[in-house]
Amino acid sequence: MIGPLRRLRMGVAKSLKPSYDVVIIGGGSHGLATAYELSKLGVKNVAVLDRSYLGSGASTRNTAIIRSNYRTAQGVAFYDESVKLYERMSVELGLNVLFSQHGHLTLAHTELAIAGLRVRAETNQLLGVDSRVIFHDEIRRIAPALDLSSRPRFPIQAALFHPPGGIIRHDAVVWGYARRAQERGVDLHPYTDVTGIDVVEGRVTGVQTSRGPVRAGIVVNATAGWASTIAQMVGLRLPIVTHPLQALVTEPLKPFLDPVLVSATLHVYVNQTDRGELVIGAEIDPYASYSMRSTLPFLETSASHALELLPAIAGVKVLRQWAGICDMTPDYSPIMGITPVGGFLVDVGWGTYGFKAAPVSGKRMAELIATGRVPDLIAPFALERFYTDSLIGEKAAAAVSH
Ligand code: PYC
């Protein structure tokens, strides 16, 4: 087992074939999941290309939160399938991805926020997703470290409790998919930069790479922050703006926090990993950028907001912070499926929701490629929706942007 993994880690890929049936651009959780699912459907000649090491982008630059308590019926059904696939993933991939389903609490600090959470709870319940509004007595039992007094600037009034939510080891997810896809014959090519995409008479015919040209019948754009720059290579303009998103990790502490905590009012979310570290994230940076630099203002505001929720963590040391980049769409829902360019498919626009959708996106994108039919679950997320006035507004389910 170690052999192939070590080779991948070192970035030593076999030589590029002159031609593939499917080329997937982006060796993160989505690209690798799609390749793995394609191999299960019997599609054989598949390559995954990434400009850097596998999982170097958004797949491991996130806070590893998994949940399906979304706001729209389309979003809830879609992410619910993802949670179910994550629940089976350790068995499916033969690798422990350490999915801890300790629950997810979205905190409400105002009457208006409670009303929003009630709508989400009802939509969730109608679609069979475990989610309900709870108040102080129950919140105290689930997260005793939360400050439920009237001391904070924005006292906590209620929460949306989503028991199946939790966290997972994101690197394990990436490596699990990579390992199994490779075993099933997928060619993984890290350190292979896509520099252009060939289009002849409105159809893709191949990609240009830093390691030479490759012919391809189908090209899938499964990149995150760079989604619109890849789409531009075929002359396609996507309704996407890229923003940085930052997070930090503290020193390890004894386990004291079971659920994931999210506060949209404070733009902060906190969870404790199996190693005991606190992972703390914030809203997207308020400017469009491809920069992955960490900033002091992020550290200051996130720390102070986390302290409003959990005063006992005062004095805990921050070990490191990092940034990723997010491809934000106007409705905070992804863009999946076909495009006006023949053979050019997209699995993009994930904003801050991408990691939690990897298994279902991989499964359904692979189904689309293998059968030529758009699966019902992803049909609502078509690019076309921006031209037919049928947006799927998921901004209300985000803690990261307003
Ligand atoms: O949607 O759960 C979420 C999330 C957390 C961090 C970024 N997005």
Side-chain angles (χ1 to χ4, degrees):
M1 282 306 173
I2 298 291
L5 274 183
R6 178 165 299 140
R7 278 204 298 283
L8 285 172
R9 252 188 206 129
M10 299 302 290
V12 180
K14 43 179 150 171
S15 56
L16 277 172
K17 287 195 213 158
S19 172
Y20 287 98
D21 292 345
V22 183
V23 164
I24 298 171
I25 307 174
S29 54
H30 282 242
L32 293 165
T34 305
Y36 169 73
E37 295 288 349
L38 279 171
S39 74
K40 281 178 64 183
L41 293 173
V43 179
K44 293 215 177 325
N45 194 20
V46 177
V48 178
L49 315 184
D50 198 287
R51 59 155 42 157
S52 183
Y53 60 90
L54 300 176
S56 53
S59 302
T60 54
R61 291 172 177 273
N62 60 66
T63 43
I65 298 168
I66 309 292
R67 64 186 177 92
S68 58
N69 57 354
Y70 279 75
R71 168 83 176 222
T72 66
Q74 301 92 327
V76 175
F78 178 78
Y79 289 98
D80 184 40
E81 178 164 292
S82 211
V83 169
K84 290 183 173 136
L85 290 168
Y86 267 126
E87 283 170 346
R88 296 198 295 270
M89 187 175 281
S90 294
V91 174
E92 170 81 23
L93 299 180
L95 184 80
N96 191 350
V97 292
L98 294 173
F99 187 14
S100 309
Q101 290 181 283
H102 286 174
H104 183 284
L105 282 181
T106 309
L107 305 171
H109 306 256
T110 62
E111 286 294 324
L112 195 60
I114 298 175
L117 295 187
R118 282 193 198 284
V119 173
R120 265 170 79 185
E122 283 187 19
T123 310
N124 293 173
Q125 286 163 20
L126 279 171
L127 290 159
V129 167
D130 193 356
S131 162
R132 64 198 154 88
V133 176
I134 61 172
F135 296 90
H136 277 195
D137 47 349
E138 232 181 317
I139 300 174
R140 189 171 293 111
R141 189 177 54 71
I142 295 166
L146 268 176
D147 185 351
L148 295 178
S149 73
S150 55
R151 182 202 63 93
R153 267 182 310 161
F154 302 105
I156 296 166
Q157 297 192 18
L160 183 68
F161 180 41
H162 175 47
I167 51 168
I168 203 163
R169 278 296 295 256
H170 46 192
D171 46 350
V173 172
V174 169
W175 285 106
Y177 274 128
R179 181 189 292 189
R180 297 299 167 231
Q182 194 187 44
E183 279 173 4
R184 299 178 71 92
V186 172
D187 277 5
L188 304 179
H189 295 290
Y191 302 106
T192 306
D193 208 352
V194 172
T195 53
I197 301 177
D198 305 322
V199 180
V200 177
E201 292 177 0
R203 239 207 111 74
V204 291
T205 56
V207 297
Q208 301 291 326
T209 82
S210 50
R211 295 168 60 210
V214 180
R215 291 194 302 282
I218 290 180
V219 175
V220 183
N221 179 357
T223 58
W226 290 276
S228 46
T229 62
I230 296 292
Q232 268 166 17
M233 293 179 182
V234 297
L236 184 65
R237 206 157 159 245
L238 294 175
I240 281 176
V241 181
T242 296
H243 285 255
L245 179 69
Q246 303 191 47
L248 65 85
V249 164
T250 70
E251 62 183 325
L253 306 168
K254 278 191 182 164
F256 75 98
L257 181 64
D258 273 350
V260 177
L261 304 178
V262 176
S263 165
T265 301
L266 295 172
H267 299 303
V268 73
Y269 36 97
V270 186
N271 65 70
Q272 187 170 27
T273 70
D274 297 328
R275 282 193 301 245
E277 299 154 343
L278 293 177
V279 178
I280 300 177
E283 62 184 324
I284 51 172
D285 287 348
Y287 42 82
S289 171
Y290 291 97
S291 163
M292 285 193 263
R293 286 185 60 175
S294 301
T295 64
L296 186 59
F298 158 75
L299 182 59
E300 286 173 341
T301 49
S302 303
S304 73
H305 291 165
L307 277 170
E308 292 249 328
L309 302 179
L310 303 165
I313 64 172
V316 169
K317 294 184 184 59
V318 171
L319 289 188
R320 60 182 182 279
Q321 59 182 109
W322 70 91
I325 51 175
C326 301
D327 46 347
M328 311 301 299
T329 60
D331 60 359
Y332 279 51
S333 283
I335 310 174
M336 303 180 77
I338 58 170
T339 70
V341 181
F344 184 72
L345 307 186
V346 288
D347 172 19
V348 298
W350 288 100
T352 63
Y353 296 151
F355 179 70
K356 49 189 111 310
V360 63
S361 307
K363 184 168 173 171
R364 299 306 176 175
M365 285 299 291
E367 194 180 322
L368 166 61
I369 296 164
T371 65
R373 286 189 304 275
V374 180
D376 290 348
L377 210 55
I378 65 170
F381 302 111
L383 176 59
E384 208 186 38
R385 77 177 183 276
F386 295 100
Y387 306 98
T388 55
D389 203 13
S390 38
L391 301 192
I392 305 174
E394 280 296 1
K395 204 168 181 178
V400 296
S401 205
H402 287 269

